[in-house]
């Protein structure tokens, strides 16, 4: 690894495996010697003279823009590294013409910006022309930056994954994302966890999902979409058969939201994994989900940890899965399940079947010697508690 830094910044971290590249120790030593005398751009210009090394550097790994210090508040200072990467990318494309797609960076990550200003984001986007995965996690971009990135998504049909988590994106930003999703035909994974899209933003994205036919994974964890937003997503997956993984954890979803999801599961034929951790499904919501599972044959992973579910809710799930246990993994951790709930699952989980996994960890009402209490000599089923 080569570490280049100046007085006010920890610059670029460009990882590569070239045979003639610097080792980590050599890189740190060189950095200490030149940091106060030679600018980042001078070092970059020196390496630009070695085109073969540059090709290897950009093609075998990814560009990682990280660790910009909070004291770097000047826009020009913050964008210098991003401009430099643009220069590197341009040289790379000119030198790599005719060499095929393997000469291009596959992943670009832009992290921990103190302020996601328009100039920094614009410069960062100049190097994503051929990237497959881009991450702007904790970039503080809010709505303006979201618009810039979605504009790039509309122009660039090669991007497969985007991470926009922890960016204070509100419903207006979510509506911008929805517009892009309606037109884009390449994106497969979108991470929007820990934003502020609320039920209004969830509604906009849900409408886009009715049109989009390529997105396979959507993460809306911790966005406060509540029951209303959950209902919108439920209606969307009755139409969208492409989405395979949906995370709605920590969204203040109650029994009504679980009810709408249960109804959607009856007709959905595409969803394989559903995460509803840290919500308020309770026993009532669990019953509606169980009714949906009775008719669903595609869902393989269901997570309902921390939902205040007790033995009554487990009974509903056990009855639904008794005749056809299609789920491969069921997580009910940190609920209020006791010995009666454990007994219900012991009766339906096939003995010795290691393809089925049930987790009842952190349910304090289940004692460590539960098998002995229940009169069972050995836990033959794949149940953790």
């Amino acid at each position: 690894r080569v570490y280049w830094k100046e007085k006010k910044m920890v610059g670029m971290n460009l990882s590569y495996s070239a045979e003639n590249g610097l080792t980590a120790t050599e890189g740190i030593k060189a950095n200490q010697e030149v940091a106060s005398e030679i600018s980042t751009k001078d070092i970059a210009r020196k390496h630009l003279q070695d085109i073969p090394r540059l090709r290897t550097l950009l093609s075998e790994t990814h560009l990682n823009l990280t660790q910009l210090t909070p004291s770097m508040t000047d826009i020009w200072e913050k964008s210098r590294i991003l401009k430099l990467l643009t220069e590197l990318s341009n040289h790379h494309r000119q030198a790599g013409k005719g060499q095929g797609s393997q000469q291009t960076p596959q992943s670009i990550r832009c992290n921990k910006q103190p302020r996601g200003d328009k100039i920094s984001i614009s410069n960062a986007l100049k190097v994503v022309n051929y990237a497959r995965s881009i991450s702007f996690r904790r970039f503080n971009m809010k709505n303006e930056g979201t618009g810039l990135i979605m504009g790039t998504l509309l122009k660039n049909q090669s991007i497969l994954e985007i991470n926009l988590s922890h960016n204070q994106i509100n419903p207006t930003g979510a509506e911008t994302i929805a517009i892009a999703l309606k037109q884009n035909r390449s994106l497969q994974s979108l991470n929007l966890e820990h934003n502020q899209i609320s039920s209004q933003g969830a509604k906009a994205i849900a409408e886009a999902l009715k049109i989009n036919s390529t997105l396979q994974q959507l993460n809306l964890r911790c966005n406060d979409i509540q029951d209303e937003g959950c209902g919108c997503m439920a209606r969307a997956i009755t139409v969208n058969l492409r989405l395979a993984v949906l995370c709605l954890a920590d969204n203040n979803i109650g029994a009504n939201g679980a009810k709408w999801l249960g109804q959607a599961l009856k007709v959905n034929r595409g969803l394989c994994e559903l995460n509803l951790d840290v919500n308020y499904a309770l026993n009532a919501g669990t019953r509606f989900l169980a009714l949906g599972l009775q008719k669903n044959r595609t869902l393989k992973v269901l997570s309902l940890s921390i939902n205040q579910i007790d033995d009554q809710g487990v009974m509903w799930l056990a009855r639904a899965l008794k005749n056809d246990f299609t789920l491969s993994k069921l997580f009910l951790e940190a609920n209020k399940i006791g010995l009666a709930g454990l007994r219900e699952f012991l009766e339906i989980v096939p003995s010795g079947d290691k393809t089925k996994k049930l987790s009842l960890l952190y349910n304090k009402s289940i004692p460590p010697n539960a098998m002995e209490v229940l009169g069972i000599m050995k836990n033959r089923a794949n149940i953790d508690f």
Side-chain angles (χ1 to χ4, degrees):
R1 294 172 181 268
V2 181
Y3 292 87
W4 296 338
K5 67 180 180 180
E6 291 189 70
K7 295 178 181 179
K8 289 188 178 181
M9 68 179 74
V10 177
M12 290 183 296
N13 174 7
L14 300 178
S15 303
Y16 62 96
S17 59
E19 293 181 359
N20 58 346
L22 296 176
T23 65
T25 303
E26 292 171 342
I28 294 173
K29 182 178 180 181
N31 170 61
Q32 293 172 344
E33 293 175 352
V34 303
S36 61
E37 300 176 3
I38 304 176
S39 69
T40 302
K41 192 169 183 179
D42 290 334
I43 300 174
R45 187 178 294 107
K46 178 181 178 181
H47 283 273
L48 284 173
Q49 296 172 2
D50 187 0
I51 295 300
R53 177 182 294 187
L54 177 62
R55 287 184 182 178
T56 304
L57 183 151
L58 288 174
S59 62
E60 290 188 2
T61 177
H62 63 263
L63 302 178
N64 195 3
L65 314 184
T66 60
Q67 303 296 333
L68 300 185
T69 61
S71 62
M72 238 168 60
T73 56
D74 183 78
I75 292 178
W76 182 80
E77 285 289 341
K78 285 191 296 183
S79 62
R80 287 184 68 189
I81 293 175
L82 302 176
K83 289 180 180 178
L84 177 58
L85 278 178
T86 303
E87 184 178 354
L88 290 171
S89 180
N90 289 337
H91 275 268
H92 162 63
R93 287 199 297 272
Q94 293 172 6
K97 286 183 178 179
Q99 299 298 321
S101 60
Q102 53 182 312
Q103 296 292 329
T104 61
Q106 296 297 305
S107 176
I108 296 179
R109 300 176 184 173
C110 307
N111 296 333
K112 297 183 179 179
Q113 278 280 4
R115 192 179 73 196
D117 56 84
K118 185 175 181 180
I119 294 178
S120 293
I121 295 172
S122 297
N123 282 312
L125 290 174
K126 290 179 182 178
V127 299
V128 305
N129 290 340
Y130 303 99
R132 296 291 181 269
S133 173
I134 61 176
S135 174
F136 283 84
R137 186 176 183 269
R138 296 186 185 276
F139 212 75
N140 294 325
M141 65 179 59
K142 301 183 180 179
N143 294 332
E144 184 178 24
T146 304
L148 289 172
I149 293 174
M150 291 303 107
T152 299
L153 183 62
L154 290 177
K155 298 177 183 177
N156 187 342
Q157 295 295 319
S158 67
I159 299 176
L160 303 180
E161 301 179 12
I162 293 182
N163 184 345
L164 299 179
S165 60
H166 298 267
N167 272 295
Q168 302 180 46
I169 300 172
N170 65 22
T172 302
E175 290 172 357
T176 302
I177 294 172
I179 293 173
L181 287 177
K182 290 179 180 179
Q183 302 179 47
N184 180 268
R185 294 295 179 269
S186 63
L187 190 66
Q188 297 179 6
S189 176
L190 177 60
N191 186 346
L192 293 174
E193 70 173 322
H194 285 272
N195 281 295
Q196 303 164 5
I197 71 171
S198 72
S199 58
Q200 180 182 342
K203 180 179 180 180
I205 293 176
E207 291 300 316
L209 287 178
K210 295 179 181 179
I211 299 174
N212 183 283
S213 60
T214 57
L215 194 68
Q216 299 177 27
Q217 300 180 20
L218 176 61
N219 186 349
L220 296 180
R221 177 189 292 268
C222 197
N223 269 283
D224 195 30
I225 69 172
Q226 302 183 16
D227 285 343
E228 182 180 356
C230 182
C232 294
M233 298 304 299
R235 288 188 288 273
I237 63 174
T238 62
V239 178
N240 185 311
L241 302 181
R242 183 65 172 174
L243 191 68
V245 179
L246 177 61
C247 179
L248 300 178
D250 199 2
N251 270 295
N252 290 316
I253 297 172
N256 286 332
K259 175 181 178 180
W260 288 320
L261 282 173
Q263 293 173 347
L265 288 176
K266 293 179 180 180
V267 297
N268 177 271
R269 295 296 179 268
L271 201 64
C272 297
E273 181 175 339
L274 177 61
N275 188 331
L276 290 172
D277 290 347
V278 200
N279 283 298
Y280 302 94
L282 305 175
N283 292 335
T286 304
R287 178 185 180 185
F288 291 117
L289 289 171
L291 293 174
L293 289 175
Q294 285 182 328
K295 296 186 177 181
N296 185 282
R297 295 295 178 268
T298 58
L299 194 69
K300 300 301 180 184
V301 180
L302 175 61
S303 189
L304 290 170
S305 299
I306 315 180
N307 268 277
Q308 302 182 34
I309 301 169
D310 60 23
D311 291 340
Q312 182 65 38
V314 168
M315 182 191 70
W316 290 112
L317 285 172
R319 289 181 180 179
L321 300 173
K322 186 174 183 178
N323 295 328
D324 190 1
F325 202 132
T326 57
L327 286 178
S328 298
K329 297 179 180 180
L330 176 60
F331 297 92
L332 292 167
E333 300 174 355
N335 281 293
K336 300 179 179 180
I337 301 169
L339 287 172
L342 176 59
R343 185 190 295 275
E344 291 281 352
F345 278 121
L346 285 171
E347 293 177 357
I348 66 168
V349 177
S351 178
D353 186 355
K354 298 303 180 181
T355 64
K356 310 294 185 183
K357 178 177 176 60
L358 171 63
S359 179
L360 298 176
L361 293 171
Y362 313 115
N363 281 278
K364 297 180 179 180
S365 298
I366 301 179
N369 62 338
M371 291 300 173
E372 181 180 347
V373 174
L374 292 174
I376 300 175
M377 296 299 296
K378 185 178 179 181
N379 183 4
R380 297 180 182 278
N382 192 11
I383 301 178
D384 295 330
F385 60 88

